[in-house]
Coordinates of all heavy atoms in Angstrom, one line a residue:
M1 N -12.5 -5.8 0.8 CA -12.1 -4.6 1.3 C -11.0 -4.0 0.4 O -10.0 -4.7 0.3 CB -11.7 -4.6 2.8 CG -12.9 -4.4 3.7 SD -12.2 -4.2 5.3 CE -13.5 -4.2 6.3
T2 N -11.1 -2.7 0.3 CA -9.9 -2.0 -0.4 C -9.3 -1.1 0.5 O -9.8 -0.5 1.3 CB -10.5 -1.2 -1.7 OG1 -11.4 -0.2 -1.2 CG2 -11.1 -2.2 -2.7
Y3 N -7.9 -1.1 0.3 CA -7.1 -0.3 1.3 C -6.4 0.8 0.5 O -5.8 0.5 -0.5 CB -6.0 -1.1 2.1 CG -6.7 -2.1 3.0 CD1 -6.8 -3.4 2.7 CD2 -7.2 -1.7 4.3 CE1 -7.4 -4.3 3.5 CE2 -7.9 -2.5 5.1 CZ -8.0 -3.9 4.7 OH -8.4 -4.8 5.6
Y4 N -6.5 2.0 1.0 CA -5.8 3.1 0.3 C -4.3 3.2 0.4 O -3.8 3.0 1.5 CB -6.4 4.5 0.7 CG -7.8 4.8 0.1 CD1 -8.9 4.1 0.6 CD2 -8.0 5.5 -1.0 CE1 -10.1 4.3 0.1 CE2 -9.3 5.8 -1.5 CZ -10.3 5.2 -1.0 OH -11.5 5.4 -1.6
Q5 N -3.6 3.6 -0.6 CA -2.1 3.8 -0.5 C -1.9 5.3 -0.6 O -2.7 6.0 -1.2 CB -1.4 3.2 -1.8 CG -1.6 1.7 -1.9 CD -1.0 1.2 -3.2 OE1 -0.4 1.9 -3.9 NE2 -0.9 -0.2 -3.3
V6 N -0.8 5.7 0.1 CA -0.5 7.2 0.2 C 0.6 7.5 -0.7 O 1.7 6.7 -0.7 CB -0.2 7.5 1.6 CG1 0.2 9.0 1.7 CG2 -1.4 7.3 2.5
R7 N 0.5 8.5 -1.5 CA 1.6 9.0 -2.4 C 1.8 10.5 -2.1 O 0.9 11.2 -1.8 CB 1.2 8.8 -3.8 CG 1.3 7.4 -4.3 CD 1.0 7.1 -5.8 NE 1.3 8.3 -6.5 CZ 0.5 8.7 -7.5 NH1 -0.7 8.1 -7.7 NH2 0.9 9.8 -8.3
F8 N 3.1 11.0 -2.3 CA 3.4 12.3 -2.0 C 3.8 13.0 -3.3 O 4.5 12.5 -4.1 CB 4.6 12.4 -1.2 CG 4.4 12.0 0.3 CD1 4.3 10.7 0.7 CD2 4.1 13.1 1.2 CE1 4.1 10.4 2.0 CE2 3.8 12.8 2.6 CZ 3.8 11.4 3.0
E9 N 3.3 14.2 -3.5 CA 3.7 15.2 -4.5 C 5.1 15.6 -4.2 O 5.4 15.7 -3.0 CB 2.7 16.2 -4.6 CG 2.8 17.3 -5.7 CD 2.2 16.8 -7.0 OE1 1.3 15.9 -7.0 OE2 2.5 17.3 -8.1
K10 N 5.9 16.1 -5.2 CA 7.1 16.6 -4.9 C 7.2 17.8 -4.0 O 8.2 17.8 -3.1 CB 7.9 16.9 -6.1 CG 8.3 15.7 -7.1 CD 9.2 16.1 -8.2 CE 9.5 14.8 -8.9 NZ 10.8 14.7 -9.4
R11 N 6.3 18.6 -4.1 CA 6.3 19.8 -3.2 C 6.0 19.4 -1.8 O 6.6 20.1 -0.9 CB 5.5 21.0 -3.8 CG 4.0 20.7 -3.8 CD 3.2 21.8 -4.3 NE 1.8 21.3 -4.6 CZ 1.1 21.8 -5.4 NH1 1.4 23.0 -5.9 NH2 -0.2 21.3 -5.6
A12 N 5.2 18.4 -1.6 CA 5.0 17.9 -0.2 C 6.2 17.3 0.4 O 6.5 17.5 1.6 CB 3.8 17.0 -0.2
Q13 N 6.8 16.4 -0.4 CA 8.2 16.0 0.1 C 9.1 16.9 0.4 O 9.8 16.9 1.4 CB 8.7 15.0 -1.0 CG 8.0 13.7 -1.2 CD 8.5 12.9 -2.4 OE1 9.3 13.5 -3.2 NE2 8.2 11.7 -2.5
K14 N 9.2 18.0 -0.4 CA 10.2 19.1 -0.2 C 9.9 19.8 1.2 O 10.7 20.1 2.0 CB 10.2 20.1 -1.3 CG 11.3 21.1 -1.3 CD 11.1 21.9 -2.6 CE 12.3 23.0 -2.6 NZ 12.2 23.8 -3.8
A15 N 8.5 20.1 1.3 CA 8.2 20.7 2.6 C 8.4 19.9 3.9 O 8.8 20.4 4.9 CB 6.5 21.1 2.5
L16 N 8.3 18.6 3.7 CA 8.5 17.7 4.8 C 10.0 17.6 5.2 O 10.3 17.6 6.3 CB 8.0 16.3 4.4 CG 7.9 15.3 5.6 CD1 6.8 15.8 6.6 CD2 7.4 14.0 5.1
K17 N 10.8 17.8 4.1 CA 12.2 17.8 4.4 C 12.8 19.0 5.1 O 13.8 19.0 5.9 CB 13.0 17.5 3.1 CG 13.0 16.2 2.6 CD 13.8 15.9 1.2 CE 13.6 14.5 0.7 NZ 14.3 14.4 -0.5
K18 N 12.1 20.2 4.8 CA 12.5 21.4 5.3 C 12.0 21.6 6.7 O 12.4 22.6 7.5 CB 11.8 22.6 4.4 CG 12.6 22.8 3.2 CD 12.0 24.0 2.5 CE 12.7 24.4 1.3 NZ 12.1 25.6 0.7
M19 N 11.1 20.9 7.2 CA 10.4 20.9 8.5 C 11.4 20.5 9.6 O 12.3 19.7 9.4 CB 9.2 20.0 8.5 CG 7.9 20.8 8.8 SD 6.6 19.5 8.8 CE 5.8 20.2 7.5
D20 N 11.0 20.9 10.8 CA 11.7 20.5 12.0 C 11.5 19.0 12.1 O 10.4 18.5 11.8 CB 11.0 21.2 13.2 CG 11.5 20.8 14.5 OD1 12.7 20.6 14.7 OD2 10.7 20.6 15.5
P21 N 12.6 18.2 12.4 CA 12.6 16.8 12.5 C 11.4 16.4 13.4 O 10.7 15.3 13.1 CB 13.9 16.3 13.0 CG 14.8 17.5 12.6 CD 13.9 18.7 12.6
Y22 N 11.2 16.9 14.5 CA 10.1 16.5 15.4 C 8.8 16.6 14.8 O 8.0 15.6 14.8 CB 10.2 17.3 16.8 CG 9.0 16.9 17.7 CD1 9.1 15.8 18.4 CD2 8.0 17.8 17.7 CE1 8.0 15.5 19.2 CE2 6.9 17.5 18.6 CZ 6.8 16.3 19.4 OH 5.8 16.0 20.2
Q23 N 8.6 17.7 14.1 CA 7.2 17.9 13.5 C 7.0 17.0 12.4 O 5.9 16.4 12.1 CB 7.1 19.4 12.9 CG 7.1 20.4 14.1 CD 5.9 20.3 15.0 OE1 4.8 19.8 14.6 NE2 6.1 20.7 16.2
A24 N 8.1 16.8 11.5 CA 8.1 15.8 10.3 C 7.7 14.4 10.8 O 6.8 13.7 10.3 CB 9.3 15.8 9.6
N25 N 8.4 14.0 12.0 CA 8.1 12.6 12.5 C 6.6 12.5 13.0 O 6.1 11.5 12.9 CB 9.1 12.3 13.6 CG 10.5 12.0 13.1 OD1 10.6 11.6 11.9 ND2 11.5 12.3 13.9
M26 N 6.1 13.6 13.6 CA 4.8 13.6 14.2 C 3.7 13.5 13.0 O 2.9 12.8 13.0 CB 4.5 14.9 14.9 CG 3.1 15.0 15.5 SD 2.9 16.5 16.3 CE 2.6 17.6 14.9
I27 N 4.1 14.2 11.9 CA 3.2 14.2 10.8 C 3.2 12.8 10.0 O 2.1 12.2 9.8 CB 3.5 15.2 9.8 CG1 3.1 16.7 10.4 CG2 2.9 15.1 8.3 CD1 3.6 17.8 9.6
M28 N 4.4 12.3 9.9 CA 4.5 10.9 9.3 C 3.8 9.8 10.1 O 3.3 8.9 9.6 CB 5.9 10.5 9.1 CG 6.6 11.4 7.9 SD 5.8 11.2 6.3 CE 5.8 9.4 6.0
A29 N 4.0 9.9 11.4 CA 3.4 8.9 12.3 C 1.8 9.0 12.3 O 1.2 8.1 12.2 CB 3.7 9.2 13.8
W30 N 1.3 10.2 12.1 CA -0.2 10.4 11.9 C -0.6 9.8 10.6 O -1.6 9.2 10.5 CB -0.5 12.0 11.9 CG -1.9 12.2 12.0 CD1 -2.7 12.4 13.2 CD2 -2.9 12.3 10.9 NE1 -4.0 12.5 12.8 CE2 -4.2 12.5 11.5 CE3 -2.7 12.1 9.5 CZ2 -5.3 12.7 10.7 CZ3 -3.8 12.4 8.8 CH2 -5.1 12.6 9.3
I31 N 0.1 10.1 9.5 CA -0.2 9.5 8.2 C -0.2 8.0 8.2 O -1.1 7.4 7.7 CB 0.8 10.0 7.1 CG1 0.6 11.6 6.8 CG2 0.6 9.3 5.8 CD1 1.6 12.2 6.0
K32 N 0.8 7.5 8.8 CA 0.8 6.0 9.0 C -0.2 5.4 9.8 O -0.8 4.3 9.5 CB 2.2 5.5 9.6 CG 3.4 5.7 8.7 CD 4.7 5.3 9.3 CE 5.9 5.7 8.3 NZ 7.1 5.5 9.0
K33 N -0.7 6.1 10.8 CA -1.7 5.6 11.7 C -3.1 5.8 11.1 O -4.0 4.9 11.1 CB -1.7 6.3 13.1 CG -2.7 5.8 14.0 CD -2.6 6.5 15.3 CE -3.7 6.1 16.4 NZ -3.6 6.8 17.6
H34 N -3.4 6.9 10.4 CA -4.7 7.2 10.0 C -5.0 7.1 8.5 O -6.1 6.8 8.1 CB -5.1 8.6 10.4 CG -5.2 8.9 11.9 ND1 -4.2 9.3 12.6 CD2 -6.2 8.7 12.7 CE1 -4.4 9.4 13.9 NE2 -5.7 9.0 14.0
L35 N -4.0 7.2 7.7 CA -4.2 7.1 6.3 C -3.7 5.9 5.5 O -4.4 5.4 4.7 CB -3.6 8.4 5.5 CG -4.2 9.8 6.0 CD1 -3.5 10.9 5.1 CD2 -5.7 9.7 5.7
M36 N -2.5 5.5 5.9 CA -2.0 4.2 5.2 C -2.8 3.1 5.6 O -3.0 2.7 6.7 CB -0.5 4.1 5.6 CG 0.4 4.9 5.0 SD 2.1 4.5 5.4 CE 2.9 5.9 4.5
G37 N -3.3 2.4 4.6 CA -4.2 1.1 4.9 C -5.6 1.4 5.3 O -6.3 0.4 5.6
T38 N -6.1 2.6 5.2 CA -7.4 2.8 5.7 C -8.4 2.4 4.7 O -8.1 2.4 3.4 CB -7.6 4.3 6.1 OG1 -8.9 4.4 6.7 CG2 -7.5 5.1 4.9
T39 N -9.6 2.1 5.0 CA -10.6 1.7 4.0 C -11.5 3.0 3.6 O -12.1 3.0 2.6 CB -11.6 0.6 4.5 OG1 -12.1 1.1 5.8 CG2 -10.9 -0.6 4.7
N40 N -11.5 4.0 4.6 CA -12.3 5.3 4.2 C -11.4 6.5 4.8 O -11.7 6.9 6.0 CB -13.7 5.2 4.9 CG -14.6 6.4 4.5 OD1 -14.1 7.2 3.6 ND2 -15.7 6.6 5.1
P41 N -10.7 7.1 3.9 CA -9.9 8.2 4.4 C -10.6 9.5 4.7 O -10.2 10.4 5.3 CB -8.9 8.5 3.2 CG -9.6 7.9 2.0 CD -10.4 6.8 2.6
R42 N -11.8 9.5 4.2 CA -12.7 10.8 4.5 C -13.2 11.0 5.9 O -13.6 12.0 6.3 CB -13.9 10.7 3.6 CG -13.5 10.9 2.1 CD -14.7 10.7 1.2 NE -14.3 11.0 -0.2 CZ -13.6 10.2 -1.0 NH1 -13.5 8.9 -0.6 NH2 -13.4 10.5 -2.2
T43 N -13.1 9.9 6.7 CA -13.5 10.0 8.2 C -12.7 11.0 9.0 O -13.0 11.5 10.0 CB -13.5 8.7 8.8 OG1 -12.3 8.0 8.8 CG2 -14.5 7.8 8.2
Y44 N -11.4 11.1 8.5 CA -10.4 11.8 9.3 C -10.2 13.3 8.8 O -9.6 14.1 9.5 CB -9.0 11.2 9.3 CG -9.1 9.9 10.0 CD1 -8.9 8.8 9.0 CD2 -9.3 9.6 11.3 CE1 -9.0 7.5 9.6 CE2 -9.3 8.4 11.7 CZ -9.1 7.3 10.8 OH -9.2 6.0 11.4
G45 N -10.7 13.6 7.6 CA -10.6 14.8 7.0 C -11.9 15.7 6.8 O -13.0 15.3 7.2
K46 N -11.6 16.8 6.1 CA -12.8 17.7 5.8 C -12.7 18.1 4.3 O -11.6 18.5 3.8 CB -12.7 18.9 6.7 CG -13.9 19.9 6.5 CD -13.7 21.0 7.5 CE -14.7 22.1 7.2 NZ -14.6 23.2 8.1
G47 N -13.7 18.0 3.6 CA -13.7 18.4 2.1 C -13.6 19.9 2.1 O -14.2 20.7 2.8
L48 N -12.8 20.4 1.1 CA -12.5 21.9 0.9 C -13.5 22.4 0.0 O -14.1 21.6 -0.9 CB -11.1 22.1 0.5 CG -10.0 21.8 1.5 CD1 -8.6 21.9 0.9 CD2 -10.1 22.7 2.8
K49 N -13.8 23.6 -0.1 CA -14.7 24.3 -1.0 C -14.0 25.3 -1.8 O -12.9 25.6 -1.7 CB -15.9 24.9 -0.3 CG -16.6 24.0 0.7 CD -17.6 24.7 1.6 CE -18.3 23.7 2.4 NZ -19.3 24.4 3.3
G50 N -14.8 26.0 -2.7 CA -14.3 27.0 -3.5 C -13.3 26.5 -4.6 O -13.6 25.6 -5.3
N51 N -12.2 27.2 -4.7 CA -11.2 26.9 -5.8 C -10.5 25.6 -5.4 O -9.7 25.1 -6.3 CB -10.2 28.1 -6.1 CG -9.3 28.4 -4.8 OD1 -9.8 27.9 -3.7 ND2 -8.5 29.2 -5.1
R52 N -10.6 25.1 -4.3 CA -10.0 23.8 -3.9 C -11.0 22.7 -3.7 O -10.8 21.7 -3.0 CB -9.2 24.0 -2.5 CG -8.0 24.9 -2.7 CD -7.2 24.8 -1.4 NE -5.9 25.4 -1.6 CZ -4.8 24.8 -1.7 NH1 -4.7 23.5 -1.6 NH2 -3.6 25.5 -1.8
A53 N -12.2 22.8 -4.3 CA -13.2 21.8 -4.3 C -12.6 20.5 -4.8 O -11.8 20.5 -5.8 CB -14.3 22.2 -5.1
G54 N -13.0 19.4 -4.2 CA -12.4 18.0 -4.6 C -11.2 17.6 -3.8 O -10.8 16.5 -3.8
E55 N -10.6 18.6 -3.1 CA -9.4 18.3 -2.2 C -9.9 18.1 -0.8 O -10.9 18.6 -0.4 CB -8.4 19.4 -2.3 CG -7.8 19.5 -3.8 CD -6.8 20.5 -3.9 OE1 -6.7 21.4 -2.9 OE2 -6.2 20.8 -5.0
W56 N -9.1 17.4 0.0 CA -9.4 17.2 1.4 C -8.2 17.8 2.3 O -7.1 17.9 2.0 CB -9.5 15.7 1.6 CG -10.8 15.2 1.1 CD1 -11.1 14.9 -0.2 CD2 -12.1 15.0 1.9 NE1 -12.4 14.6 -0.3 CE2 -13.0 14.6 0.9 CE3 -12.4 15.0 3.1 CZ2 -14.2 14.2 1.3 CZ3 -13.6 14.7 3.6 CH2 -14.5 14.1 2.6
R57 N -8.8 18.2 3.5 CA -7.9 18.8 4.5 C -7.8 17.9 5.7 O -8.8 17.4 6.2 CB -8.3 20.2 4.9 CG -7.4 20.7 6.0 CD -8.1 21.9 6.8 NE -9.1 21.0 7.8 CZ -9.9 21.6 8.5 NH1 -10.1 23.0 8.5 NH2 -10.7 20.9 9.5
Y58 N -6.6 17.7 6.2 CA -6.4 16.9 7.4 C -5.7 17.8 8.4 O -4.7 18.4 8.1 CB -5.6 15.6 7.1 CG -6.3 14.7 6.2 CD1 -6.0 14.7 4.9 CD2 -7.3 13.7 6.7 CE1 -6.7 13.7 4.0 CE2 -7.9 12.9 5.8 CZ -7.7 13.0 4.5 OH -8.3 12.1 3.8
R59 N -6.1 17.9 9.6 CA -5.6 18.7 10.7 C -4.7 17.8 11.6 O -5.1 16.7 12.2 CB -6.8 19.1 11.5 CG -6.6 20.5 11.9 CD -7.8 20.9 12.7 NE -7.4 21.4 14.0 CZ -8.2 21.5 15.0 NH1 -9.4 21.1 15.0 NH2 -7.6 21.9 16.2
I60 N -3.3 18.2 11.7 CA -2.4 17.5 12.5 C -1.7 18.6 13.4 O -0.8 19.2 13.1 CB -1.3 16.8 11.7 CG1 -2.0 15.9 10.6 CG2 -0.4 16.0 12.5 CD1 -1.0 15.5 9.6
G61 N -2.4 18.8 14.6 CA -1.9 19.9 15.4 C -2.0 21.3 14.8 O -3.1 21.6 14.2
D62 N -1.0 22.0 14.7 CA -1.0 23.3 14.0 C -0.7 23.2 12.5 O -0.5 24.2 11.8 CB 0.1 24.2 14.6 CG -0.4 24.7 16.0 OD1 -1.7 24.8 16.2 OD2 0.4 25.2 16.7
Y63 N -0.6 21.9 12.0 CA -0.2 21.7 10.7 C -1.4 21.3 9.9 O -2.3 20.6 10.4 CB 1.0 20.8 10.5 CG 2.3 21.3 11.0 CD1 2.6 21.5 12.4 CD2 3.1 21.9 10.0 CE1 3.9 22.1 12.7 CE2 4.3 22.6 10.5 CZ 4.7 22.7 11.8 OH 5.8 23.4 12.2
R64 N -1.4 21.4 8.6 CA -2.4 21.0 7.7 C -1.8 20.3 6.6 O -0.7 20.6 6.0 CB -3.2 22.2 7.1 CG -3.9 23.0 8.2 CD -4.9 22.3 8.9 NE -5.7 23.2 9.9 CZ -5.3 23.3 11.1 NH1 -4.2 22.6 11.7 NH2 -5.9 24.0 12.0
L65 N -2.6 19.2 6.1 CA -2.2 18.3 5.1 C -3.4 18.5 4.0 O -4.5 18.3 4.4 CB -2.1 17.0 5.6 CG -1.5 15.9 4.6 CD1 -0.6 15.0 5.5 CD2 -2.6 15.1 4.1
I66 N -3.0 18.9 2.8 CA -4.0 19.0 1.7 C -3.8 17.8 0.8 O -2.6 17.6 0.3 CB -3.8 20.2 0.8 CG1 -3.8 21.5 1.8 CG2 -4.9 20.4 -0.3 CD1 -5.1 21.8 2.5
A67 N -4.8 17.0 0.5 CA -4.8 15.7 -0.3 C -5.9 15.7 -1.3 O -6.9 16.3 -1.1 CB -4.7 14.6 0.7
Y68 N -5.5 14.8 -2.3 CA -6.6 14.6 -3.3 C -6.9 13.0 -3.1 O -5.9 12.2 -3.1 CB -6.1 14.9 -4.7 CG -7.0 14.4 -5.7 CD1 -8.4 15.1 -6.0 CD2 -6.9 13.3 -6.6 CE1 -9.3 14.6 -6.9 CE2 -7.8 12.8 -7.5 CZ -8.9 13.5 -7.7 OH -9.8 13.1 -8.6
I69 N -8.1 12.7 -3.0 CA -8.4 11.2 -2.8 C -9.0 10.7 -4.2 O -10.0 11.2 -4.7 CB -9.4 10.9 -1.8 CG1 -9.0 11.5 -0.4 CG2 -9.8 9.6 -1.6 CD1 -10.0 11.5 0.6
N70 N -8.3 9.7 -4.7 CA -8.7 9.1 -6.1 C -9.3 7.7 -5.7 O -8.6 6.8 -5.3 CB -7.5 9.0 -7.0 CG -7.8 8.5 -8.3 OD1 -8.8 7.9 -8.6 ND2 -6.9 8.7 -9.3
D71 N -10.5 7.6 -5.8 CA -11.3 6.3 -5.6 C -11.0 5.1 -6.7 O -11.1 4.1 -6.3 CB -12.8 6.6 -5.4 CG -13.0 7.4 -4.1 OD1 -12.4 7.1 -3.1 OD2 -13.9 8.3 -4.1
E72 N -10.8 5.7 -7.9 CA -10.6 4.7 -8.9 C -9.3 3.9 -8.7 O -9.3 2.7 -8.9 CB -10.7 5.4 -10.3 CG -12.1 5.9 -10.6 CD -12.0 6.6 -11.9 OE1 -11.1 6.7 -12.6 OE2 -13.0 7.3 -12.2
K73 N -8.2 4.6 -8.4 CA -6.9 4.1 -8.2 C -6.6 3.7 -6.8 O -5.5 3.1 -6.5 CB -5.9 5.0 -8.7 CG -5.9 5.3 -10.0 CD -4.7 6.1 -10.6 CE -4.8 6.3 -12.1 NZ -3.7 7.2 -12.6
I74 N -7.5 4.0 -5.9 CA -7.5 3.8 -4.5 C -6.2 4.4 -3.9 O -5.4 3.7 -3.3 CB -7.7 2.2 -4.2 CG1 -8.9 1.7 -4.9 CG2 -7.7 2.0 -2.8 CD1 -8.9 0.2 -4.9
T75 N -5.9 5.6 -4.1 CA -4.8 6.3 -3.7 C -5.2 7.6 -3.0 O -6.1 8.2 -3.4 CB -3.7 6.6 -4.8 OG1 -4.3 7.3 -5.8 CG2 -3.2 5.4 -5.4
I76 N -4.3 8.1 -2.1 CA -4.4 9.4 -1.5 C -3.2 10.1 -1.9 O -2.1 9.7 -1.6 CB -4.5 9.2 0.0 CG1 -5.7 8.5 0.5 CG2 -4.5 10.7 0.6 CD1 -5.6 8.0 1.9
L77 N -3.2 11.2 -2.7 CA -2.1 11.9 -3.2 C -2.0 13.1 -2.3 O -2.9 14.1 -2.3 CB -2.3 12.3 -4.7 CG -1.2 13.2 -5.2 CD1 0.1 12.4 -5.3 CD2 -1.6 13.7 -6.7
I78 N -1.0 13.3 -1.5 CA -0.7 14.4 -0.7 C -0.1 15.6 -1.5 O 1.1 15.4 -2.0 CB 0.1 14.0 0.5 CG1 -0.6 13.0 1.3 CG2 0.5 15.3 1.4 CD1 0.3 12.4 2.5
L79 N -0.8 16.6 -1.6 CA -0.5 17.7 -2.5 C 0.4 18.7 -1.8 O 1.5 19.1 -2.2 CB -1.7 18.4 -3.0 CG -2.6 17.5 -3.8 CD1 -3.9 18.3 -4.1 CD2 -2.0 17.0 -5.0
E80 N 0.1 19.1 -0.6 CA 0.8 20.1 0.3 C 0.7 19.8 1.6 O -0.3 19.2 2.1 CB 0.2 21.5 0.0 CG 0.2 22.0 -1.4 CD -0.4 23.4 -1.5 OE1 -0.1 24.3 -0.7 OE2 -1.3 23.6 -2.3
L81 N 1.7 20.3 2.5 CA 1.6 20.2 3.9 C 2.5 21.3 4.4 O 3.4 21.7 3.8 CB 2.0 18.9 4.6 CG 3.4 18.3 4.2 CD1 4.3 18.6 5.4 CD2 3.4 16.8 3.9
G82 N 1.9 21.9 5.6 CA 2.6 23.0 6.1 C 1.8 23.6 7.2 O 0.8 23.1 7.7
H83 N 2.4 24.6 7.9 CA 1.7 25.2 9.1 C 0.4 25.9 8.6 O 0.3 26.3 7.5 CB 2.6 26.4 9.6 CG 2.3 26.8 11.1 ND1 1.3 27.7 11.2 CD2 2.6 26.3 12.2 CE1 1.2 27.9 12.6 NE2 1.9 27.0 13.2
R84 N -0.5 26.0 9.5 CA -1.9 26.3 9.2 C -1.9 27.8 8.7 O -2.9 28.3 7.9 CB -2.8 26.2 10.3 CG -2.5 27.0 11.5 CD -3.4 26.6 12.7 NE -2.9 27.3 13.9 CZ -3.7 28.3 14.5 NH1 -5.0 28.5 14.1 NH2 -3.3 28.8 15.6
R85 N -1.0 28.7 9.1 CA -1.0 30.1 8.7 C -0.5 30.2 7.2 O -0.7 31.3 6.7 CB -0.2 31.0 9.7 CG 1.3 30.7 9.5 CD 2.1 31.6 10.5 NE 3.5 31.1 10.4 CZ 4.1 30.5 11.5 NH1 3.5 30.4 12.6 NH2 5.3 30.1 11.5
D86 N 0.2 29.3 6.7 CA 0.8 29.4 5.4 C 0.2 28.5 4.3 O 0.3 28.7 3.2 CB 2.4 29.0 5.5 CG 3.1 29.7 6.5 OD1 2.9 31.0 6.6 OD2 4.0 29.3 7.1
I87 N -0.5 27.5 4.7 CA -0.9 26.5 3.8 C -2.0 27.0 2.7 O -1.9 26.5 1.5 CB -1.5 25.2 4.5 CG1 -1.5 24.0 3.6 CG2 -2.8 25.4 5.2 CD1 -0.2 23.4 3.2
Y88 N -2.9 27.9 3.1 CA -3.9 28.3 2.2 C -3.5 29.4 1.3 O -4.4 30.0 0.6 CB -5.2 28.6 3.1 CG -5.6 27.3 3.8 CD1 -5.6 27.4 5.2 CD2 -6.1 26.2 3.2 CE1 -6.0 26.2 5.8 CE2 -6.7 25.1 3.9 CZ -6.5 25.2 5.2 OH -7.0 24.1 5.9
K89 N -2.3 30.0 1.4 CA -1.9 31.2 0.6 C -1.6 30.7 -0.8 O -1.2 29.7 -1.1 CB -0.7 31.8 1.3 CG -1.3 32.5 2.6 CD 0.0 33.2 3.3 CE -0.4 33.7 4.5 NZ 0.6 34.3 5.2

C-alpha cells in the first residue's frame, strides 16, 4: 500500500497563517485526519473542471482547499485555501 504525503504551496501557507486560529486548527485537523497517510485522496474531494481541470477541491465547512494530486510522487500539493466566496476568484 502506498500512503500519500501532504505538501503546502507558499501561498497556501500564507493564507493559513492569516486565518483565524480556530479555523486554521480546524482545517489542519481535517487535513491530518483525511489526507495525511491516506491511500486514496480522491474519496474526500471533487475534481474541478474548466481552467482548473486536474485539480481537486476539498470542502471543510465554509472553507475550500484546492489541491493537485501527483500519483507518481505520491503527494498531495495544497495550492490554495480560503473561504468559499473568495477561493475561486
Side-chain angles (χ1 to χ4, degrees):
M1 268 192 190
T2 56
Y3 297 104
Y4 282 79
Q5 295 178 1
V6 177
R7 292 185 20 229
F8 286 86
E9 187 82 16
K10 286 193 183 221
R11 64 182 166 199
Q13 288 176 345
K14 189 175 180 182
L16 195 62
K17 286 180 184 177
K18 285 184 175 181
M19 237 178 246
D20 174 42
Y22 174 78
Q23 296 296 334
N25 287 335
M26 183 182 73
I27 290 171
M28 286 306 297
W30 190 92
I31 290 171
K32 287 177 185 174
K33 182 178 179 184
H34 294 96
L35 295 182
M36 287 186 180
T38 186
T39 56
N40 187 6
R42 290 173 176 86
T43 58
Y44 303 107
K46 180 180 179 183
L48 295 175
K49 299 176 182 177
N51 62 346
R52 290 192 174 253
E55 295 176 357
W56 285 77
R57 177 204 77 183
Y58 295 97
R59 220 176 124 200
I60 309 165
D62 285 340
Y63 288 83
R64 300 295 182 266
L65 187 141
I66 308 294
Y68 175 74
I69 301 171
N70 188 342
D71 292 320
E72 293 174 7
K73 294 184 180 180
I74 310 170
T75 57
I76 303 166
L77 179 62
I78 297 175
L79 303 172
E80 297 179 52
L81 58 101
H83 196 273
R84 63 188 177 114
R85 69 175 170 250
D86 303 324
I87 196 72
Y88 299 110
K89 293 179 182 177

